Amino acid sequence: MQDYQSQKPIVLDILASHRTMPGNLLPILHGIQDTLGYIPPAAVEDIAKDLSLSKAEVHGVISFYHYFRTTPPGKHTIRICRAESCQAMNSKALEQHAKQTLGIDFHQTTTDEQFSLEAVYCLGNCGCSPSITIDDQVHGRVTPEKFDRLVASCKGNKS
Amino acid sequence: MTRVFVSRDSTALSLGAEQVAQSLQQLADTKGLDIEIVRNGSRGMFWLEPLVEVETSTGRVAYGPVQPEDLATLVEAGFLDGKQHVLSLGNIEEHPFFKYQNRLTFARVGLTDPVNLEDYLAHDGYRGLKNALALQPVDIVKHVTDSGLRGRGGAAFPTGIKWNTVMNAPAEQKYIVCNADEGDSGTFSDRMIMEGDPFVLIEGMTIAGLAVGATQGYIYLRIEYPHAKIALNQAIEAAYQHGYLGENIQGSGKTFHLEVRSGAGAYICGEETSLLESLEGKRGLVRFKPPLPAIVGLFGKPTIVNNVISLASIPVILDKGGEYYRDYGMGRSRGTLPLQLAGNIKHSGLFEAAFGMTLREILYDYGGGSASGRPIRAVQVGGPLGAYLHEGQFDTPLDYEAFAAIACVLGHGGIVVHDDTVNMSEMARYAMEFCVEESCGKCTPCRIGSTRGVEVIDRIVGNEQKQKNTELLRDLCDTMLCGSLCAMGGMTPYPVLSALNHFPEDFGLPTAKA
């Protein structure tokens, strides 16, 4: 994991640029996660100090929302929809396949740090279930075979 | 120059629309074809996506579903002149799925370039705002009241009454908040509006601002919708540039500012008071009501919180008048509802219709039955907190009161279809599990009740003191129903009890009497 001292200036910059924004904590957390890939636990103190909140309050917000994470993600984040529409189109089998193929459970990252697996509850892509996202790309009608192709093409993409 | 339309809607993209657009551009460059590719919204017929429409001298001609490898033969067949091809669909607006809709809110979705202001204006855009600028606030609210519009987010509260309350609340600052945290499985109408016609939402919110004297608006958008965020921000920027947002809107002296804020993956933030907490930068804990957000809302100020579809229905109401809108629908359910067909359904997509059509009509006449070809067994209407309907209830008209009469909800108009391979005890268990995952934790029935609910269902299915545990589950559902602070815990019993009542055999209990 990266040393927080090198990340600190980025966090302080994000704090400074949101100073006058009403209700700024979520936008700040998004800003940090968008830039660093996660919210370093050590950043909580700086955020709390800047917003005159307790560390517990900041931590409480981070842990309340499913989207925020406090550990670095793999190179690609795969989110599998677990909601009813996808279940009606056999998403459970897809979930099993994904966990088995990647060798990880939800909220885990592969040992080669290539993939993180997350559960998501509805991508609004229910018209072609089951759905997943890989990073910001949505994919519909995902069969186990299509899943394997998508994963393989991520591995091929070294950039 | 021939205009070719390839959708930028998430669902179209998830089926390969981006590759189709890129390959078409490459093909045009190599072959020297004189085309302009317009990235429109989706017509809402997802089994035909990626859909490609070509503008010809005799109107638009559609082809679909198109894959990149089809493009060479399409060009060869002369699709740029609307010629026949195995993928030809003719004029998509004449397709039976499209033709019999009442497209009021979705009139432009799929037709126009979503982020092109000129295109919006050329298709009756901003006519509602123009009328609103010439009216007194009280007259704007009267149109909304006369329209009979009720909140399309699910609670179905009369929009005019909410606006009237905020209008009459004295304050130096008021807010318009758009609830764009559409988290129900089987719903995507908000997403389609925001991606396919973001200006209509911006216009609706601006009119709301004029009606109640609010100068600041926020769209609270779920993080799962990155494409909607891009489209909204592009449209907001164009609206600012052309004086439709900001200070002195169209020379009227009126002000309205608008900003998109991202949620962070919490279903509960679709509940209006949790949403306000989240917008204020806190955990999305439900607030006690009263006070209502209309009186004490965002940052303690009077606030309108409306769903995307409610606000996107405002421009047509102000353009054509409240009575025009009210003339669609039945009983106390007026106007139109964008129905969303999802799950195991052959023709999945969006169908905007006046209230009153039956569920059976939409499932079979337009939806074409299940995708698997097997019998449809259970249909969940209204999201994860909505009840499961069985075959015997399919003739219920889509109307708020008719659904309430059979202990069901219309909610946000999402329809999720399951065929006969579904196990309803698993769906009931999932409903409780979802509540465990998404409860804000503020009230005990929801926080603890859902965890106990999962355990009790496991015991019933595991044949452990079946009768006693079934009684216990009903008792628990009753506690959640009556004792929860908001709809999360209060409605989780709907899917659970409907599964238990209509499909007891899946719990290993005696079959229900027909």
Side-chain angles (χ1 to χ4, degrees), chain B residues 170-363:
Chain B
E172 74 285 3
Q173 178 69 58
K174 299 178 188 178
Y175 296 102
I176 310 296
V177 170
C178 172
N179 181 348
D181 197 336
E182 171 185 65
D184 288 356
S185 176
T187 60
F188 40 80
S189 60
D190 293 3
R191 180 186 63 65
M192 284 186 70
I193 277 282
M194 293 186 286
E195 292 176 358
D197 192 13
F199 285 117
V200 80
L201 174 60
I202 296 168
E203 183 182 353
M205 290 184 74
T206 311
I207 294 169
L210 295 177
V212 303
T215 54
Q216 176 69 49
Y218 291 100
I219 298 171
Y220 183 87
L221 178 67
R222 61 199 306 256
I223 191 74
E224 291 86 350
Y225 287 178
H227 297 293
K229 187 173 181 178
I230 294 167
L232 282 169
N233 280 329
Q234 286 173 335
I236 287 171
E237 197 189 326
Y240 268 109
Q241 272 175 7
H242 294 87
Y244 285 96
L245 279 175
E247 315 280 333
N248 194 20
I249 293 168
Q250 297 300 299
S252 66
K254 307 281 186 187
T255 298
F256 191 68
H257 292 280
L258 185 55
E259 188 184 324
V260 179
R261 287 285 178 95
S262 293
Y267 177 77
I268 194 62
C269 292
E271 196 282 335
E272 62 175 359
T273 62
S274 293
L275 187 156
L276 294 175
E277 291 285 307
S278 186
L279 258 182
E280 290 178 5
K282 303 175 207 156
R283 285 184 290 155
L285 296 186
V286 171
R287 291 180 186 171
F288 290 97
K289 285 193 276 192
L292 296 167
I295 310 287
V296 182
L298 185 64
F299 304 119
K301 303 295 181 196
T303 302
I304 284 183
V305 186
N306 274 154
N307 174 261
V308 172
I309 301 298
S310 321
L311 289 163
S313 301
I314 297 296
V316 69
I317 291 169
L318 265 295
D319 177 15
K320 300 195 169 162
E323 286 173 10
Y324 174 85
Y325 191 81
R326 190 195 60 202
D327 287 345
Y328 291 87
M330 68 175 277
R332 286 175 50 219
S333 303
R334 312 308 313 180
T336 60
L337 182 66
L339 299 164
Q340 300 127 86
L341 280 166
N344 198 330
I345 186 94
K346 195 169 168 193
H347 295 161
S348 62
L350 181 127
F351 193 99
E352 182 175 352
F355 287 91
M357 172 182 232
T358 68
L359 187 58
R360 193 181 299 279
E361 282 175 81
I362 188 76
L363 288 176

Side-chain angles (χ1 to χ4, degrees), chain A residues 22 30 65-67 85 124-125 127, chain B residues 11 185 191 261 263 265 278 282 348:
Chain A
H30 274 300
Y65 295 95
H66 300 306
Y67 183 76
S85 173
N125 199 37
Chain B
T11 294
S185 176
R191 180 186 63 65
R261 287 285 178 95
S278 186
K282 303 175 207 156
S348 62

Side-chain angles (χ1 to χ4, degrees), chain B residues 2 9 13 28 53 68 85 92-93 99 111 141 147 154 156 158 172 215 241 250 258 263 360 370 425 470 499-500:
Chain B
T2 307
D9 177 274
L13 296 175
E53 287 184 84
H85 183 273
I92 207 73
E93 294 187 2
K99 197 175 173 180
L111 188 63
V141 175
S147 74
E172 74 285 3
T215 54
Q241 272 175 7
Q250 297 300 299
L258 185 55
R360 193 181 299 279
S370 74
S425 70
T470 307
L500 186 66

